[in-house]
Structures are given as structure tokens and as C-alpha cells.
């Protein structure tokens, strides 16, 4: 990461940061913050109970000045910081925090709020006094404290949570306690934030506690990579997100710094839906893994900012196990496994069995870097062993429906960032992201279930002993690769570039930007 060349001794107040974002935000209900553009907005207009230090990964005070956890991790009591208010003037109190977490932890069917994926075994919130709130859990929830620090746990006013979920795509409806407030929005095109003048409650260990240095931030949705790069280099933008690896050299050569903070969760990958008969046989999934030249994909399309994955979990994550030996490339072994599973080449070279061709479909995932290129190269590799992979763009509606049908989408692009072992449960558990489409999960068109995996995931979320919890994480990583459910490609960063005069750009533990300490040097 290069450092800005315009660094001055002390931060300067003033100026509006022009920030070009690849995609528009979708919904700003805080638990939807895992989608990059959503989190990039929520980080500026909401605060969390706690702050996870991105260097140490320790949990530090923020809106909560202190907390206590009982021995079984079934009760968490937070003492709130006095004097904090929402941007509409209402106070941050225990009642409002309780409402937030009751909504995050239980959902709200009437208003269509889903349950947060970072909260496990939630029972209820109890208001002790105006500034003290206690959370009760039905079973141990050791990941909850870290869950109070993540992008999906920003605190919003009661008036925001009184609105239906579908209204929260409008940023002007989000009332938070953050250092910026929404000034105006043109949906899907532009968002203007302004500094909140009376803000005095940054994370407790920050030297800076007053209002943001910037007067404002102008988000402009700019889907084309070349346009974002061109605007930055021409001085028409101050910061941009999603620098493709092939654009890095021209940015660096022009003297502009690139930032590539890691997302510390489950790596950029594809995952299979084992209820699809084409990939139901373990040998087929193993053969597809063996037929995947992951190093060629990374070397061809990416830079040093995208390390080759050596497990399903980032090497920067707690509990990571190096499983490189389960991620080898061996076309001959792949062909032997296909043959063993009864697949033989047809006249067109595509493998056949019982009148069916090994013809698979996957949808491009726009948020993931160069995902179409990754999938097209993967399709070329699989073609060499007789497998056809159809790479589809698809409109949002058809894509969403098809991804719930294992018969239509046997392969799905997957990744999720979170600096806690619970991230694995978020991804694979049927009641969470449900990557494998298990019975009882998000799809009503599947009968597949992996009871061993689900038991391990439940154990991971409830084990209070840190060493045992990390051991379970390792067991899950091994199981997922032994079952060839997932083929991980690379450890995904968030790639940003700024003008040299932009100082103090910071990132939380999973690579989402924070502009609270950002300032613009004279230029």
C-alpha cells in the first residue's frame, strides 16, 4: 500500500470528498450491510456498540463504554455512553438499543425485517436503566460481542425501525448517530452526506472525538471501471472503490495510493448445491475441484493483493487451517474420478451419464472482482475434462429466483467477510446464507441436508472455550473441502485508490471504508 504524498502535520477541516462507487446501495437496514455498497454508506451514518480494532482485532468501547459477559456467554450487559443522540435529536438510550437488537436478533415479520446473520441463539433484550441494557441468549453465543462491532450492527433510531424493510433502500430514511448524515439522494445515482456538527463520540480509543474533518461526502455511482480510474487520475474524483488488478499499475505509476484491506472471512469461491443430481455425487465434486487450476486463475487475473486461497477461510482469520494439500490441480485424477462415477465423453466431448450431459450453470456475481473473467477461465479449465460451464449474467429477478433452485443453479459464487469464526456458520447454516441450499433453509426446492456439518456449525456458534471453538472451525474447514462443497480461489480484499492529497482513510476489520478521520490536504 503506497502512502499519500501530500501528508501534513495536522488534519485539515473542510472540503467534500468525491467518492466513486461501483454499485448503488440496495437496502440500508443495518444487517444488510454485508453488501459492500450498503456497508460503505452505513459505516458513515451509524455507529456500533463496540469497535473492532483492525490491527489487533480486539473489541474496544464505542457507543457502549463497558460491558460484562456471564460465564456461559448467555448474558451480555452493556453500559451505554451518556450524551449520545441520533441525528433527529432523540437520545441513544437502552430502550432504543434493545429495540435494535430485538429486531436484529428476532426479525420482524410484519415489517419484513430478516434476522441478522451475526447473531446466534438470541432470546431478548432487557432494559436495566436508561443507559444499561442486557441481552439474553437461549444458548451460549460467544461470537456476540464481536457481532456488536460489525458492519451489520449499526444502531438506528426507533423511527427508522418503524418503517417497513422495503422503505430502507432510501438513505434519507436512515437515522443514525454517525459522524455524517444524509443530505440528499438521487436513488441509484448519487448520495450526499454532510458532517454532523455536534458529533463527539468516536470510538473511545480514537484521539479524534469531534466532528468529521470532511464537510461532506458525495457518492457517485459509476459502474464502469475505466470511468472511475479516469476520473481519479484526471482529478475529478478523490477516492474510488473496486480497482481491478489490471488497473493497478497505471494508478501506482501515476503516484496514486492503492489500499487493499482484507475481508478476513470466507474466501472468494464457488460452492455447489448437492441436491442437483449432476453434482450430488461426491466424486463429481472432487473431480471438479481437481480440474480447477486456481493458481492459473489468480496469476492470470489478479495481483499480489489477492493471495491464493489455502482454505475456505482467510489466512488472516482466527482458526484458519492451511489445507493446501486438499486444493491441488490434477486433470488426470479428475478424469479418473469422473469415469469412476460413470461419466464418459459423448460425441461432442462433453461427459454423459444416463442420457444427461455434465452441463452446469453459474451466474456472475457483480460485487466480486473480475468475477466474469474468473468464471470464464474456470469454464475453459473444466472444458478440458469434458464439463460444460455456462456463465450467465441474468437480470436481478431471474438470478434471485434461480439461485434458490438447485436444479437451475448447481454452482454459486460465494464469499463473506467477518473477523470472527461465526462467519462460517453465517455462510453454510441453512437458516443463514445457506450456500449449499439445505432442506429447511432458504429454498423450498431441496431435500439435501448435511447433519454433521450443521451440528459442527451449531457447536461453533455455542462453544465458549476459545481453543475448542477454533478447533471446531478447523474441523469444519476440513469437512467442507473433504466433501468438495466449495472451491476457494483467493483471499478477497477491498481495493480502493485515492488522490495523493487524501489522508486518514481507514478501514474496519473487514475492509469497509470509514471516512471519519479522512481529511484533504491542500492541493
Amino acid at each position: 500500500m503506497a502512502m499519500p504524498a501530500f501528508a501534513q502535520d495536522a488534519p485539515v477541516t473542510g472540503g467534500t470528498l468525491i467518492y466513486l462507487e461501483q454499485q448503488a446501495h440496495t437496502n440500508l437496514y443495518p444487517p444488510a450491510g454485508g453488501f459492500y455498497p450498503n456497508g460503505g454508506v452505513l459505516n458513515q451514518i451509524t455507529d456500533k456498540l463496540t469497535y473492532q480494532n483492525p490491527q489487533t482485532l480486539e473489541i474496544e468501547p464505542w457507543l457502549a463504554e463497558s460491558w460484562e459477559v456471564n460465564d456461559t456467554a448467555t448474558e451480555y450487559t452493556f453500559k451505554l455512553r451518556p450524551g449520545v443522540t441520533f441525528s433527529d435529536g432523540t437520545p441513544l438510550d437502552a430502550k432504543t438499543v434493545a429495540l435494535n437488537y430485538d429486531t436484529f436478533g428476532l426479525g420482524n415479520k410484519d415489517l419484513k425485517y430478516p434476522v441478522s446473520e451475526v447473531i446466534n441463539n438470541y432470546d431478548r433484550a432487557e432494559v436495566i436503566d436508561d443507559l444499561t441494557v442486557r441481552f439474553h441468549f437461549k444458548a451460549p453465543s460467544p461470537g456476540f460481542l464481536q457481532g456488536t462491532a460489525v458492519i451489520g450492527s449499526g444502531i438506528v433510531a426507533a423511527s427508522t425501525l418503524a418503517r417497513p424493510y422495503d422503505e430502507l433502500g432510501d438513505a434519507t430514511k436512515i437515522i443514525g448517530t454517525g459522524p455524517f448524515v444524509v443530505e440528499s439522494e438521487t436513488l441509484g445515482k448519487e448520495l450526499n452526506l454532510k458532517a454532523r456538527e455536534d458529533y463527539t463520540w468516536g470510538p473511545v480509543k480514537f484521539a479524534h472525538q469531534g466532528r468529521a474533518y470532511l464537510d461532506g461526502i458525495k457518492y457517485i455511482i459509476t459502474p464502469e471501471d475505466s470511468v472511475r480510474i479516469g476520473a481519479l487520475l484526471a482529478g475529478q474524483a478523490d477516492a474510488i472503490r473496486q480497482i481491478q488488478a489490471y488497473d493497478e499499475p497505471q494508478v501506482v505509476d501515476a503516484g496514486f495510493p492503492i489500499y487493499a484491506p482484507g475481508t478476513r472471512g470466507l474466501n472468494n469461491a464457488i460452492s455447489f448445491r448437492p441436491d442437483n443430481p449432476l453434482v450430488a455425487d461426491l466424486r463429481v465434486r472432487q473431480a471438479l475441484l481437481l480440474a480447477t487450476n486456481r493458481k492459473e486463475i489468480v496469476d492470470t487475473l489478479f495481483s499480489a493483493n489477492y493471495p491464493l486461497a489455502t482454505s475456505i477461510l482467510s489466512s488472516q482469520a482466527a482458526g484458519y487451517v492451511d489445507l493446501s494439500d486438499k486444493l491441488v490441480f490434477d486433470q488426470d485424477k479428475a478424469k479418473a474420478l469422473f469415469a469412476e462415477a460413470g461419466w464418459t465423453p459423448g460425441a461432442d466431448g462433453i461427459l454423459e451419464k444416463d442420457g444427461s450431459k455434465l452441463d452446469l450453470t453459474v451466474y456472475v456475481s457483480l460485487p466480486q472482482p473480475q468475477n466474469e473473467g474468473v468464471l470464464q477461465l474456470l469454464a475453459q479449465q473444466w472444458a478440458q475434462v469434458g464439463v460444460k460451464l455456462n456463465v450467465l449474467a441474468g437480470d436481478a429477478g431471474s438470478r434471485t429466483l434461480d439461485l434458490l433452485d438447485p436444479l437451475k443453479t448447481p454452482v454459486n459464487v460465494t464469499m463473506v467477510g467477518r473477523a470472527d469464526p461465526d462467519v462460517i456458520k453465517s455462510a453454510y447454516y441453512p437458516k443463514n446464507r445457506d450456500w449449499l441450499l439445505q432442506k429447511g433453509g432458504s429454498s423450498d426446492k431441496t431435500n439435501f441436508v448435511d447433519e454433521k456439518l450443521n451440528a459442527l456449525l451449531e457447536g461453533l456458534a455455542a462453544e465458549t472455550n476459545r481453543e475448542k471453538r477454533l478447533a471446531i472451525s478447523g474441523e469444519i474447514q476440513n469437512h467442507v473441502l473433504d466433501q468438495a462443497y466449495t472451491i476457494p480461489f483467493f483471499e478477497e480484499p477491498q481495493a480502493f485508490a485515492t488522490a495523493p492529497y487524501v489522508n486518514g482513510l481507514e478501514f474496519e476489520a473487514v475492509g469497509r471504508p470509514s471516512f471519519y478521520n479522512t481529511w484533504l490536504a491542500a492541493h
Side-chain angles (χ1 to χ4, degrees):
M1 179 179 76
M3 296 306 295
F6 285 64
Q8 297 176 347
D9 290 340
V12 175
T13 299
T16 295
L17 183 87
I18 307 300
Y19 176 60
L20 304 189
E21 167 60 71
Q22 183 200 34
Q23 291 179 274
H25 66 261
T26 53
N27 191 293
L28 297 177
Y29 171 53
F35 180 56
Y36 295 136
N38 298 353
V41 175
L42 284 164
N43 257 8
Q44 324 315 325
I45 62 177
T46 68
D47 300 323
K48 290 90 173 172
L49 287 180
T50 61
Y51 174 76
Q52 187 169 27
N53 185 309
Q55 277 73 49
T56 67
L57 298 186
E58 293 298 314
I59 306 300
E60 300 174 358
W62 192 352
L63 294 180
E65 60 183 19
S66 63
W67 52 85
E68 294 178 358
V69 186
N70 71 350
D71 291 342
T72 56
T74 56
E75 289 183 6
Y76 289 73
T77 305
F78 291 85
K79 189 75 175 176
L80 302 178
R81 198 167 171 173
V84 178
T85 59
F86 290 96
S87 59
D88 63 359
T90 57
L92 176 89
D93 56 18
K95 183 179 178 182
T96 307
V97 172
L99 173 64
N100 272 259
Y101 275 90
D102 278 350
T103 307
F104 299 166
L106 302 172
N108 183 325
K109 289 186 178 178
D110 292 339
L111 297 178
K112 298 184 179 177
Y113 286 117
V115 173
S116 169
E117 68 181 9
V118 304
I119 300 176
N120 292 294
N121 308 319
Y122 187 83
D123 183 17
R124 62 188 171 88
E126 176 188 3
V127 175
I128 306 297
D129 59 41
D130 283 353
L131 291 177
T132 311
V133 59
R134 179 173 296 146
F135 301 110
H136 297 266
F137 294 83
K138 298 172 184 174
S141 188
F144 179 69
L145 182 62
Q146 191 273 346
T148 64
V150 302
I151 38 181
S153 295
I155 303 296
V156 294
S159 60
T160 295
L161 293 176
R163 298 179 179 276
Y165 175 82
D166 292 343
E167 288 186 12
L168 300 192
D170 180 348
T172 64
K173 303 292 193 291
I174 311 298
I175 306 299
T177 64
F180 293 92
V181 296
V182 178
E183 185 173 40
S184 63
E185 178 177 26
T186 304
L187 280 170
K189 294 182 178 180
E190 185 176 301
L191 175 67
N192 292 288
L193 306 185
K194 63 179 179 180
R196 186 174 168 187
E197 295 295 335
D198 60 348
Y199 186 85
T200 58
W201 45 81
V204 170
K205 292 194 176 182
F206 277 22
H208 177 208
Q209 291 293 311
R211 64 150 271 187
Y213 299 121
L214 294 169
D215 288 336
I217 308 166
K218 181 186 287 289
Y219 291 70
I220 302 174
I221 309 308
T222 313
E224 300 83 3
D225 295 338
S226 60
V227 176
R228 292 195 305 280
I229 296 277
L232 179 71
L233 299 186
Q236 298 164 342
D238 304 309
I240 63 176
R241 187 182 77 82
Q242 195 73 318
I243 308 297
Q244 304 296 358
Y246 52 75
D247 284 323
E248 288 182 13
Q250 66 167 312
V251 174
V252 173
D253 290 348
F256 287 58
I258 288 176
Y259 301 82
T263 49
R264 285 193 174 96
L266 287 164
N267 292 320
N268 190 294
I270 56 167
S271 294
F272 295 106
R273 275 66 187 279
D275 208 51
N276 184 299
L278 296 178
V279 295
D281 190 325
L282 171 60
R283 294 168 297 185
V284 169
R285 299 194 302 273
Q286 289 173 328
L288 291 167
L289 194 160
L290 289 162
T292 302
N293 189 340
R294 302 173 317 110
K295 187 175 187 302
E296 181 186 42
I297 290 171
V298 173
D299 289 351
T300 302
L301 296 173
F302 297 101
S303 69
N305 288 323
Y306 301 77
L308 181 69
T310 50
S311 177
I312 61 170
L313 191 63
S314 165
S315 62
Q316 299 179 47
Y320 156 80
V321 179
D322 185 345
L323 298 177
S324 304
D325 59 333
K326 298 182 189 289
L327 293 167
V328 297
F329 170 58
D330 189 332
Q331 285 184 330
D332 291 337
K333 196 170 180 181
K335 291 175 181 176
L337 275 173
F338 283 130
E340 185 183 315
W343 292 90
T344 54
D348 56 3
I350 298 174
L351 293 171
E352 296 179 351
K353 180 183 179 181
D354 300 332
S356 296
K357 290 183 179 294
L358 200 44
D359 188 330
L360 307 174
T361 295
V362 64
Y363 276 100
V364 173
S365 177
L366 284 177
Q368 267 65 59
Q370 293 199 76
N371 188 242
E372 184 173 4
V374 169
L375 297 176
Q376 295 288 5
L377 187 48
L378 179 67
Q380 292 174 28
Q381 294 175 356
W382 285 3
Q384 293 171 16
V385 295
V387 178
K388 184 175 182 183
L389 180 65
N390 304 288
V391 178
L392 304 182
D395 63 73
S398 64
R399 183 179 184 277
T400 299
L401 286 175
D402 287 356
L403 287 177
L404 292 175
D405 188 343
L407 294 182
K408 291 183 178 177
T409 50
V411 185
N412 186 30
V413 175
T414 54
M415 80 76 54
V416 57
R418 183 184 175 190
D420 186 89
D422 273 359
V423 69
I424 308 176
K425 181 170 183 280
S426 293
Y428 290 102
Y429 198 61
K431 297 295 185 184
N432 296 138
R433 294 197 180 202
D434 192 25
W435 281 359
L436 308 179
L437 288 187
Q438 294 198 59
K439 187 176 183 179
S442 52
S443 174
D444 59 3
K445 298 181 177 181
T446 179
N447 289 300
F448 167 75
V449 65
D450 185 333
E451 292 177 355
K452 178 181 177 180
L453 174 62
N454 294 338
L456 286 169
L457 295 170
E458 289 165 1
L460 178 74
E463 177 55 65
T464 56
N465 179 287
R466 175 177 166 80
E467 294 308 314
K468 290 181 180 177
R469 191 165 176 243
L470 297 184
I472 295 172
S473 168
E475 198 174 344
I476 296 169
Q477 292 167 65
N478 273 282
H479 179 74
V480 167
L481 289 184
D482 287 343
Q483 293 297 314
Y485 288 146
T486 294
I487 303 175
F489 299 128
F490 55 85
E491 299 190 12
E492 184 170 323
Q494 278 289 278
F496 300 80
T498 69
Y501 51 79
V502 175
N503 292 269
L505 175 58
E506 296 176 340
F507 304 93
E508 61 183 8
V510 291
R512 270 58 169 185
S514 169
F515 297 115
Y516 173 52
N517 287 318
T518 302
W519 54 280
L520 305 177
H523 59 283

